[in-house]
Amino acid sequence: MVLLAAVPAPGTAAAADGPAPCVVREGRPHTDWTGMRWDADVLCDNTAGDVRLQSFFSSPVVGRMVTTRSWFVCWKTGDPHQGGNRIWYYTQGDVITNWPLWKGWGYVPAFRTETEPDPFPGLPACLPS
């Protein structure tokens, strides 16, 4: 298991009375394991959980979110989940758990994020894979 970033940035903790709002951040470059690039992200509160290679529950787990405020670069549809929709967000897990080639990049179901609505406005759809 490889730890990537288990410490949240200063000032990103949720307020005691509820989650902090999601923020679209321009000028935040990310490159995934395939070489795909994004120049922006959405920073949102989230719960810890598995990051899956694809947007369905039978997909292999490649990482784990351990922080509670994380960034996401795009979204796509997948398996329905307890959030009442089929939206999944693409990110890089804080910890690589399996398949190190993928560097922890994968999808989390929207119910693990504090996004509202789903998909979150300003976040692009992921290109088909």
Side-chain angles (χ1 to χ4, degrees), residues 103 113 118:
K103 300 180 181 178
T113 69
D118 292 313

Side-chain angles (χ1 to χ4, degrees), residues 23-69:
V23 178
V24 176
R25 305 184 306 172
E26 299 294 333
R28 301 290 179 139
H30 300 281
T31 304
D32 75 1
W33 67 276
T34 68
M36 187 73 167
R37 295 181 47 92
W38 294 266
D39 292 323
D41 63 22
V42 168
L43 183 68
C44 288
D45 286 357
N46 60 275
T47 57
D50 292 336
V51 177
R52 297 187 178 276
L53 184 59
Q54 288 296 328
S55 58
F56 45 91
F57 289 107
S58 62
S59 183
V61 173
V62 294
R64 182 147 178 87
M65 303 300 287
V66 295
T67 57
T68 58
R69 187 138 175 101

